[in-house]
Amino acid sequence: MRITSWLQLLLSAPLLWTVLQVIAFYTYVYYTPVAGSTIKRWTMQLTSAFHELFYQVRRPWIALSELERVHKLNSELMEALYLIACSEGPVSLPFGALGDLDFLSSYHFIPAEITYQTFHFRENYAILNKGSRDGVAPGMGVISDRGVVGVIADTTATHSVMLSIFHKEVHVAAYLPQQQVLGITSWREPTLNRLTLEYIPLYVPLSVGDEVWTAANSLIFPKGVKIGRVKQARMDLARGFYNIEIATYLDWHAPGPLYILAPRMPRRS
Amino acid sequence: MKSVLKVAGIGALLIAFQAILAPLTLIPSLAIPMPYVLFWLTLPFSWEGRLSLMAAFIYGIILDIFFPPHGLQTLCGLWVWAVRRLWLRILNPQLSPDSEKAFSLSSLERGEFFAYVFPLTAWHHLWYLFLARWTIDGNGLIYFTLSTIYTFVWEWIIFELVLRTTNARA
């Protein structure tokens, strides 16, 4: 009896009309690329405006936390300076995200901040407060002061969508600088701040703590941007490769200030 | 059964018009005739709501199969189907439920036909042309206005030649 009444409700003319309209609208959007892209663009603009509003509201708190971070960094730098002054031998200085400084001449850095980001999905992304008006274009890499963060997927005039390295379809060409071996990162399992490095052959000598940088054959990142360190390596004898777990330098819950890597145009002679 | 056949016949006629005559009679960049809107207006109010709705939907789907943009004819047609009863009640506030069920497009006078059909055709075209172009600009409004008038002219011709004649025979 109850099922019958539910069925009657489902088949009532207004509800049926709504369902049929949804089917017709979906068909229309599916077969009409202009409509699909326009709706996507509107949705993105609306989402950006919505998050921009929240970002403006949250700005004082962001500024306070940034101030706290700067104070902390300042104290660390003061400490490092003190250690340099006190040391007798060579002192290793942190170079942040950059393992190899050769590429600095061919890129410029566009500073950006996150106005919105997701944490719980298999396809994590963030909206950045810089867009095509600032020179950002899809396909550009994004780094923080710690290492690789993600890839720009789409832009509006004022905002851009960045796919995180913690996105199931984002893979970065990587290499082990100590061993000079190429591999590919992927986020196969939804683990916090962990990536998998694949296609490293079993004959390569590995040890926990080895650094992982971006490789020269990456189409997005220049060679030598830090990704993370080897946390654990398991042998996959069936495939003849290691399954390497990397602990990323990036903390997705606190990515900090970001920099978009914009390639410099070659100068005309 | 007779009313079902009559409605199906009108539907077939309007689809045939749209397939054969519409490409010949359209005025490029100015107006396109779409008298197939008449079908959604000829569906009898005496039919049960879901049956009438399914007939409207199936007719839209058939149009969508033959004419792009696919899905848009159904979408706009269902809007016309949804609004027509409301519009009829606005035009005839004193209309009793029995009279409403007995309402037939073919029994209308010319003035009544204009008052009932023209705004609903405009309502259809407003949805259709906006969604087909995805912009509202001067050219679009001119195209909308001329297409509505031109479509209504063809609807009137079909009404005079077919609908009123069938009614007279009945």
Side-chain angles (χ1 to χ4, degrees):
Chain A
M1 186 64 188
R2 185 171 284 179
I3 292 171
T4 317
S5 59
W6 271 105
L7 201 64
Q8 277 179 348
L9 180 70
L10 278 174
L11 289 176
S12 65
L15 202 62
L16 193 61
W17 181 86
T18 310
V19 171
L20 296 179
Q21 275 292 46
V22 169
I23 292 169
F25 188 69
Y26 179 79
T27 311
Y28 167 58
V29 171
Y30 184 81
Y31 283 106
T32 315
V34 178
S37 61
T38 307
I39 288 172
K40 197 176 165 189
R41 197 176 68 243
W42 285 355
T43 310
M44 194 174 152
Q45 282 173 345
L46 196 69
T47 313
S48 299
F50 188 70
H51 291 307
E52 178 71 26
L53 182 71
F54 270 86
Y55 175 68
Q56 293 296 337
V57 171
R58 283 173 46 230
R59 271 184 93 167
W61 286 274
I62 292 170
L64 280 176
S65 67
E66 197 66 16
L67 186 68
E68 197 175 325
R69 202 181 71 83
V70 168
H71 277 159
K72 195 179 166 191
L73 186 66
N74 193 37
S75 67
E76 284 171 7
L77 287 171
M78 293 293 282
E79 191 180 332
L81 277 174
Y82 177 76
L83 285 173
I84 291 169
C86 295
S87 65
E88 292 177 357
V91 176
S92 60
L93 295 173
F95 286 103
L98 311 177
D100 188 334
L101 303 175
D102 287 347
F103 75 89
L104 285 176
S105 59
S106 47
Y107 285 85
H108 71 270
F109 297 77
I110 302 171
E113 286 179 28
I114 290 178
T115 57
Y116 173 76
Q117 70 182 111
T118 62
F119 296 100
H120 314 296
F121 307 134
R122 291 287 285 122
E123 298 171 341
N124 286 308
Y125 69 94
I127 294 179
L128 308 184
N129 66 343
K130 292 291 164 68
S132 57
R133 200 182 289 164
D134 306 292
V136 182
M140 288 181 174
V142 182
I143 64 170
S144 72
D145 54 357
R146 295 176 194 165
V148 171
V149 179
V151 181
I152 300 293
D154 208 349
T155 60
T156 62
T158 55
H159 287 77
S160 48
V161 174
M162 177 198 72
L163 304 186
S164 161
I165 51 172
F166 304 115
H167 183 295
K168 68 177 183 182
E169 287 173 11
V170 171
H171 305 276
V172 179
Y175 89 115
L176 298 162
Q178 283 162 320
Q179 293 84 353
Q180 298 286 318
V181 185
L182 294 170
I184 294 175
T185 69
S186 59
W187 198 46
R188 285 162 56 176
E189 291 167 10
T191 46
L192 178 65
N193 297 331
R194 296 280 187 274
L195 289 177
T196 305
L197 181 62
E198 296 179 293
Y199 305 113
I200 301 295
L202 288 175
Y203 59 76
V204 174
L206 272 181
S207 53
V208 172
D210 282 351
E211 287 229 326
V212 181
W213 295 358
T214 55
N217 61 342
S218 170
L219 297 174
I220 295 167
F221 294 99
K223 176 190 169 188
V225 183
K226 292 184 179 181
I227 299 174
R229 283 182 183 277
V230 173
K231 173 87 176 166
Q232 189 183 9
R234 287 190 304 273
M235 287 194 285
D236 186 346
L237 294 171
R239 297 170 67 209
F241 295 116
Y242 280 109
N243 270 334
I244 301 171
E245 188 185 355
I246 309 171
T248 58
Y249 288 121
L250 167 70
D251 179 1
W252 183 239
H253 283 258
L258 306 182
Y259 303 91
I260 300 165
L261 295 174
R264 288 182 198 277
M265 291 295 128
R267 285 185 183 177
R268 289 180 187 172
S269 56
Chain B
M1 190 63 192
K2 191 180 173 184
S3 69
V4 172
L5 287 174
K6 187 179 170 185
V7 166
I10 291 167
L13 175 79
L14 291 171
I15 289 172
F17 177 94
Q18 203 61 28
I20 299 163
L21 279 181
L24 301 174
T25 53
L26 71 85
I27 306 168
S29 308
L30 277 181
I32 178 169
M34 291 185 276
Y36 59 76
V37 183
L38 267 184
F39 177 85
W40 290 296
L41 304 180
T42 50
L43 285 171
F45 287 109
S46 57
W47 285 14
E48 205 261 329
R50 282 171 289 190
L51 176 69
S52 173
L53 177 58
M54 287 314 294
F57 180 71
I58 290 165
Y59 178 71
I61 288 288
I62 293 169
L63 284 168
D64 280 330
I65 290 169
F66 290 112
F67 310 112
H70 309 295
L72 195 54
Q73 279 85 0
T74 310
L75 189 84
C76 302
L78 290 182
W79 269 115
V80 173
W81 181 89
V83 168
R84 64 191 186 127
R85 190 188 292 266
L86 179 71
W87 183 240
L88 183 66
R89 286 177 186 171
I90 289 171
L91 288 177
N92 303 289
Q94 309 298 330
L95 202 66
S96 66
D98 288 337
S99 307
E100 188 178 288
K101 280 187 177 177
F103 172 81
S104 168
L105 196 70
S106 53
S107 63
L108 293 178
E109 295 296 323
R110 289 192 177 97
E112 291 171 336
F113 179 79
F114 174 81
Y116 180 63
V117 172
F118 188 79
L120 289 172
T121 304
W123 173 247
H124 171 273
H125 281 41
L126 193 68
W127 279 95
Y128 186 92
L129 295 177
F130 167 68
L131 287 172
R133 295 167 65 98
W134 276 100
T135 49
I136 297 177
D137 53 14
N139 288 337
L141 289 174
I142 290 169
Y143 194 64
F144 158 72
T145 310
L146 293 178
S147 292
T148 304
I149 294 167
Y150 193 43
T151 298
F152 181 74
V153 169
W154 279 106
E155 283 172 339
W156 203 332
I157 292 168
I158 293 168
F159 172 71
E160 291 291 344
L161 292 180
V162 182
L163 296 179
R164 277 169 70 92
T165 312
T166 52
N167 189 50
R169 278 175 196 156

